[in-house]
């Protein structure tokens, strides 16, 4: 067997956060699991499907713990490792914390991948951890039929600065920090149809650490944060809406998209996860009349290492967007509002006015 001829994406039935179980399936599986009641120091558990668990140590210190792993969405092993590590670390930043160490999670079909390829995956993940200023302090590996890589990550934060997905308040503005379309790009990769420059655009987005979340948590004008991953923008907005007991309204024309996302979606390059996402939560989402299927698929597109969705004081929103852009997130946009009402998401408009630049 010549391992150099094997594409990583050919070894996996899905890739990136598109591998996640559909929201409805996950909800069903967790329905009869015991809640973590009786642990007074557990500040954040499973109650609102938040990004990480948080345990309060004392008045000034909380430990944040998360894990995330998936199968490859790209064929370059180093890029796969980088994307998976960036995605896993994001959960710590989404809670307003700072990561301190990671443990590697590795599943490899040992009869299909050569050791050099596996080392590149691990080196890619370690390079991102080094960028975040944390060590890969250990891990666990298994022989598996499909390649799997990710991290368990531990972080720290101040209990008063933990930002939950349930923290949105009536009147809040909504900000999104990265462009949408990663799942669409990954679907195009599998068909060899990604336009020139799009791969570099995707890697730049998926390997951009969401470290701005830790800085935003220090601002009292920021009330809630979550990261947008496998359930798509609508799915994670819905989790915020349900957790906060509010209605979120998102302007389609305000959402930032990757440069080729709309055109590729229109050509049918969407993932199966996008359809599963819509089937799971469509009853709680109102779309604008006449929105084409491609527009809906953009909003349900599973993001891998996506951006942060932020709920904040509306008077501070424009200044926060400027700060986020200046911090290295050029597609950050103000995309909507939170209001009192039945928990759910309403999308207005229908155009795709904001997108990234090619390359």
């Amino acid at each position: 067997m010549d391992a150099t001829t094997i594409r990583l994406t050919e070894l996996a039935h899905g890739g990136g956060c598109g591998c996640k179980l559909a929201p409805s399936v996950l909800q069903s599986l967790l329905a009869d699991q015991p809640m973590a009641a009786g642990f007074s120091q557990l500040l954040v558990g499973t109650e609102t499907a938040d990004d990480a668990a948080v345990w309060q140590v004392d008045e000034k210190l909380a430990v944040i713990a998360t894990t995330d792993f998936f199968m490859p969405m790209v064929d370059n092993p180093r890029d796969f490792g980088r994307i998976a590590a960036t995605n896993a670390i994001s959960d710590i930043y989404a809670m307003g914390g700072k990561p301190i160490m990671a443990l590697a999670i590795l599943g490899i079909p040992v009869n299909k991948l050569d050791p050099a390829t596996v080392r590149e995956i691990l080196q890619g993940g370690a390079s991102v951890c080094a960028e975040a200023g944390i060590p890969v302090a250990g891990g666990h590996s298994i022989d598996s039929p499909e390649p799997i890589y990710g991290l368990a990550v531990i972080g720290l934060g101040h209990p008063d600065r933990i930002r939950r997905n349930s923290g949105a308040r009536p009147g809040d503005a909504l900000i999104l920090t990265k462009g949408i379309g990663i799942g669409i790009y990954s679907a195009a990769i599998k068909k060899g149809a990604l336009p020139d420059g799009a791969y570099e655009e995707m890697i730049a987005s998926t390997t951009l650490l969401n470290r701005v979340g830790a800085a935003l948590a220090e601002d009292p004008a920021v009330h809630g944060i979550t990261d947008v991953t496998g359930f798509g923008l609508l799915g994670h907005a819905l989790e915020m809406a349900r957790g906060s007991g509010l209605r979120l309204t998102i302007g389609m024309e305000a959402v930032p998209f990757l440069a080729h996302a709309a055109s590729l979606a229109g050509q049918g390059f969407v993932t199966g996860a996008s359809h599963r996402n819509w089937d799971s939560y469509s009853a709680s989402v109102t779309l604008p009349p006449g929105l084409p299927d491609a527009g809906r698929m953009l909003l349900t597109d599973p993001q891998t290492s996506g951006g942060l969705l932020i709920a904040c004081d509306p008077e501070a929103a424009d200044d926060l967007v400027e700060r986020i852009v200046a911090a290295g997130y050029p597609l950050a946009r103000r995309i909507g509002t939170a209001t009192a009402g039945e928990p759910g998401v309403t999308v207005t408009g229908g155009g795709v006015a904001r997108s990234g630049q090619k390359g």
Side-chain angles (χ1 to χ4, degrees), residues 20-354:
K20 291 177 70 170
L21 295 176
S24 58
V25 174
L26 184 60
Q27 185 177 17
S28 174
L29 292 175
L30 297 177
D32 60 353
Q33 296 300 306
M35 298 297 289
F39 295 91
S40 61
Q41 290 172 276
L42 185 64
L43 298 185
V44 182
T46 61
E47 57 278 357
T48 62
D50 219 324
D51 299 300
V54 181
W55 184 272
Q56 184 170 356
V57 178
D58 56 34
E59 295 83 2
K60 297 182 179 180
L61 182 65
V63 175
I64 307 169
T66 185
T67 184
D68 211 315
F69 53 88
F70 45 65
M71 291 167 284
M73 56 183 288
V74 296
D75 292 311
N76 183 292
R78 186 175 179 85
D79 286 345
F80 171 39
R82 294 171 64 208
I83 294 168
T86 307
N87 178 75
I89 297 171
S90 177
D91 288 340
I92 302 296
Y93 293 131
M95 302 303 299
K98 296 181 180 180
I100 59 170
M101 69 174 180
L103 304 174
I105 299 166
L106 180 68
I108 290 297
V110 295
N111 62 332
K112 295 179 181 179
L113 288 181
D114 66 324
T117 298
V118 179
R119 283 196 296 269
E120 284 194 63
I121 295 172
L122 295 173
Q123 288 167 1
S127 71
V128 166
C129 289
E131 184 182 350
I134 64 174
V136 180
H140 185 67
S141 59
I142 61 169
D143 180 7
S144 64
E146 297 178 287
I148 297 168
Y149 176 69
L151 300 174
V153 190
I154 303 298
L156 301 176
H158 192 291
D160 295 340
R161 291 194 286 272
I162 297 297
R163 292 294 183 267
R164 303 188 56 166
N165 65 357
S166 58
R169 304 175 186 177
D172 273 358
L174 304 176
I175 296 170
L176 182 64
T177 64
K178 289 186 184 182
I180 297 293
I182 298 300
I184 291 165
Y185 276 35
S186 67
I189 286 176
K190 283 208 166 189
K191 298 293 182 61
L194 202 61
D196 291 344
Y199 183 81
E200 291 76 13
E201 180 192 20
M202 183 181 76
I203 296 301
S205 180
T206 54
T207 61
L208 176 60
L209 286 163
N210 279 326
R211 58 174 36 137
V212 71
L216 293 172
E218 297 179 0
D219 192 327
V222 174
H223 305 145
I225 304 176
T226 191
D227 64 350
V228 177
T229 54
F231 298 157
L233 176 58
L234 288 183
H236 293 284
L238 182 58
E239 288 180 340
M240 179 175 279
R242 288 171 171 167
S244 304
L246 299 173
R247 191 83 186 177
L248 302 193
T249 299
I250 294 173
M252 184 75 177
E253 70 287 346
V255 176
F257 295 99
L258 299 183
H260 303 279
S263 62
L264 287 170
Q267 297 171 54
F269 291 104
V270 297
T271 69
S274 185
H275 296 285
R276 294 192 297 272
N277 283 342
W278 180 246
D279 290 343
S280 293
Y281 50 64
S282 58
S284 299
V285 175
T286 301
L287 297 178
L291 182 71
D293 286 346
R296 171 168 59 82
M297 292 304 173
L298 287 166
L299 297 174
T300 60
D301 185 51
Q303 303 308 288
T304 301
S305 192
L308 300 177
L309 179 63
I310 300 155
C312 67
D313 187 323
E315 295 180 355
D318 291 340
D319 178 64
L320 284 170
V321 170
E322 289 183 8
R323 285 169 50 191
I324 295 167
V325 171
Y329 306 82
L331 294 187
R333 300 287 186 270
R334 182 173 178 170
I335 67 167
T337 58
T339 58
E342 182 181 356
V345 179
T346 297
V347 180
T348 62
V352 180
R354 300 180 186 274

